[in-house]
Amino acid sequence: MLPAALQQDIRHSVSLALKEDLGIAPLAELDASFDVTAMLIPAENSASATVVTREECIVCGVAWVNEVFKQLDEVQGTETNITWFVNDGERVKANSVLFEISGNARILLTGERTALNFLQSLSGTATLTASYVAELADGKTKLLDTRKTIPGLRSAQKYAVSCGGGNNHRIGLFDAYLIKENHIAACGGIDKAVATARHNKPEIKVEVEVESMDELNQALTAGCDIIMLDNFTTAMIEQAVHITETYNQQHNQATKLEVSGNMTIETLKEYTQAGVDYISSGALTKHVKAIDLSMRFS
């Protein structure tokens, strides 16, 4: 679902970001003439510039940058040319030139900050993800993202996670079950919650969050696809892996285990060595440190 969502989300999010910067209402027409500083420059002036990263990073956000200038060109009747020297998912060194851009000087300046905001933020997410993935390189454990994303940038950040080598968990509330403690309480138990999920939408995966060994056993018996171990100690995780592997063998089941809760890069290897299938981390998308980028006119 992510590629399909991206195509419409990129245009929508870029439009909102440009209008936000220009002080234009979301449903009004885009108009670059609201940039009062750019209006100081003669309308016919052309310019060219380069965008450089000041630090090593994994690049992400090419389509967002392109869309910024595409939308400005559409409403202003201009033509901006962008030459990229990198691709999304590519690691680059500090001081590398990411792209060259040329066109109407006003448009380049009006679109600069919005374009770089997307590029620096998404590259930050991809770069952090890559550092987590590197810690898991020697094991079977896969890194997952979560729904703890910046509002309005769900598909963009999940795309950035994939550029960094991570894996997307459910995109939202619609494409997979994640039955947590409040759902369990409201449904009357793990078994009832899982049974109802299978009845309502048998085609999608069912995941249950557990907080104890007793709940782990209940989730295994209920036959869910994934069990999330919330805030388990390493010793408890190792025990849960043994219990799950034994149950799967005895009942011809393929339930996977996921670890979540207070995940840091320092604890990743400890958890993957315990033998879990997945580690999910909200830090990938909520602890965003933008990459230091710079645009310089030539």
Side-chain angles (χ1 to χ4, degrees), residues 40-175:
L40 300 175
I41 302 166
E44 68 276 9
N45 280 21
S46 298
S48 59
T50 57
V51 171
V52 175
T53 175
R54 298 303 184 192
E55 55 188 309
E56 182 175 335
C57 68
I58 301 293
V59 175
C60 180
V62 170
W64 285 262
V65 172
N66 292 343
E67 183 66 21
V68 166
F69 294 101
K70 176 184 176 183
Q71 290 192 24
L72 290 171
D73 283 340
E74 286 175 352
V75 298
Q76 300 304 126
T78 52
E79 182 177 351
T80 303
N81 297 300
I82 304 175
T83 301
W84 286 92
F85 301 108
V86 296
N87 299 306
D88 282 344
E90 185 176 341
R91 181 178 290 277
V92 296
K93 296 180 179 180
N95 300 315
S96 296
V97 176
L98 303 184
F99 66 90
E100 292 178 348
I101 185 168
S102 61
N104 180 271
R106 288 181 176 181
I107 295 302
L108 264 58
L109 289 167
T110 298
E112 173 188 359
R113 178 40 51 203
T114 298
L116 294 190
N117 280 349
F118 281 111
L119 187 60
Q120 68 188 19
S121 298
L122 297 181
S123 295
T125 296
T127 303
L128 179 61
T129 301
S131 68
Y132 275 53
V133 170
E135 292 296 308
L136 301 177
D138 297 330
K140 70 168 187 176
T141 307
K142 293 183 178 180
L143 180 67
L144 304 178
D145 55 22
T146 73
R147 287 170 47 240
K148 296 176 181 177
T149 54
I150 297 172
L153 290 178
R154 173 69 54 81
S155 62
Q157 284 197 291
K158 283 186 171 285
Y159 172 72
V161 167
S162 68
C163 286
N167 296 271
N168 298 140
H169 208 309
R170 57 179 184 156
I171 305 303
L173 296 172
F174 59 93
D175 59 327

Side-chain angles (χ1 to χ4, degrees), residues 2-281:
L2 188 57
L6 273 176
Q7 292 179 10
Q8 62 182 16
D9 288 354
I10 291 173
R11 184 164 184 83
H12 178 66
S13 59
V14 165
S15 175
L16 286 178
L18 282 170
K19 290 174 183 178
E20 177 183 56
D21 210 17
L22 290 164
I24 299 172
L27 297 182
E29 292 294 322
L30 182 65
D31 185 348
S33 68
F34 279 61
D35 182 349
V36 295
T37 312
M39 292 301 102
L40 300 175
I41 302 166
E44 68 276 9
N45 280 21
S46 298
S48 59
T50 57
V51 171
V52 175
T53 175
R54 298 303 184 192
E55 55 188 309
E56 182 175 335
C57 68
I58 301 293
V59 175
C60 180
V62 170
W64 285 262
V65 172
N66 292 343
E67 183 66 21
V68 166
F69 294 101
K70 176 184 176 183
Q71 290 192 24
L72 290 171
D73 283 340
E74 286 175 352
V75 298
Q76 300 304 126
T78 52
E79 182 177 351
T80 303
N81 297 300
I82 304 175
T83 301
W84 286 92
F85 301 108
V86 296
N87 299 306
D88 282 344
E90 185 176 341
R91 181 178 290 277
V92 296
K93 296 180 179 180
N95 300 315
S96 296
V97 176
L98 303 184
F99 66 90
E100 292 178 348
I101 185 168
S102 61
N104 180 271
R106 288 181 176 181
I107 295 302
L108 264 58
L109 289 167
T110 298
E112 173 188 359
R113 178 40 51 203
T114 298
L116 294 190
N117 280 349
F118 281 111
L119 187 60
Q120 68 188 19
S121 298
L122 297 181
S123 295
T125 296
T127 303
L128 179 61
T129 301
S131 68
Y132 275 53
V133 170
E135 292 296 308
L136 301 177
D138 297 330
K140 70 168 187 176
T141 307
K142 293 183 178 180
L143 180 67
L144 304 178
D145 55 22
T146 73
R147 287 170 47 240
K148 296 176 181 177
T149 54
I150 297 172
L153 290 178
R154 173 69 54 81
S155 62
Q157 284 197 291
K158 283 186 171 285
Y159 172 72
V161 167
S162 68
C163 286
N167 296 271
N168 298 140
H169 208 309
R170 57 179 184 156
I171 305 303
L173 296 172
F174 59 93
D175 59 327
Y177 288 104
L178 180 48
I179 302 169
K180 307 182 83 170
E181 58 178 339
N182 289 333
H183 301 102
I184 294 168
C187 289
I190 290 175
D191 55 343
K192 292 181 180 179
V194 173
T196 304
R198 295 294 191 198
H199 177 268
N200 288 354
K201 286 191 172 292
E203 72 278 10
I204 65 178
K205 288 187 177 182
V206 177
E207 180 170 358
V208 175
E209 180 185 73
V210 302
E211 298 178 342
S212 67
M213 291 301 174
D214 179 57
E215 288 186 345
L216 170 67
N217 287 315
Q218 292 179 49
L220 285 169
T221 302
C224 57
D225 299 297
I226 306 172
I227 298 174
M228 179 189 290
L229 309 176
D230 185 45
N231 291 314
F232 273 42
T233 65
T234 304
M236 291 172 67
I237 293 171
E238 292 173 347
Q239 184 181 355
V241 168
H242 175 72
I243 291 171
T244 302
E245 289 178 346
T246 301
Y247 190 93
N248 283 343
Q249 291 172 0
Q250 292 176 347
H251 297 83
N252 194 30
Q253 198 162 288
T255 301
K256 304 291 187 181
L257 288 182
E258 175 185 337
V259 175
S260 183
N262 300 317
M263 200 61 55
T264 67
I265 194 167
E266 290 79 19
T267 60
L268 288 177
K269 282 191 175 180
E270 180 180 342
Y271 290 134
T272 190
Q273 288 169 358
V276 296
D277 301 285
Y278 306 111
I279 290 176
S280 58
S281 174

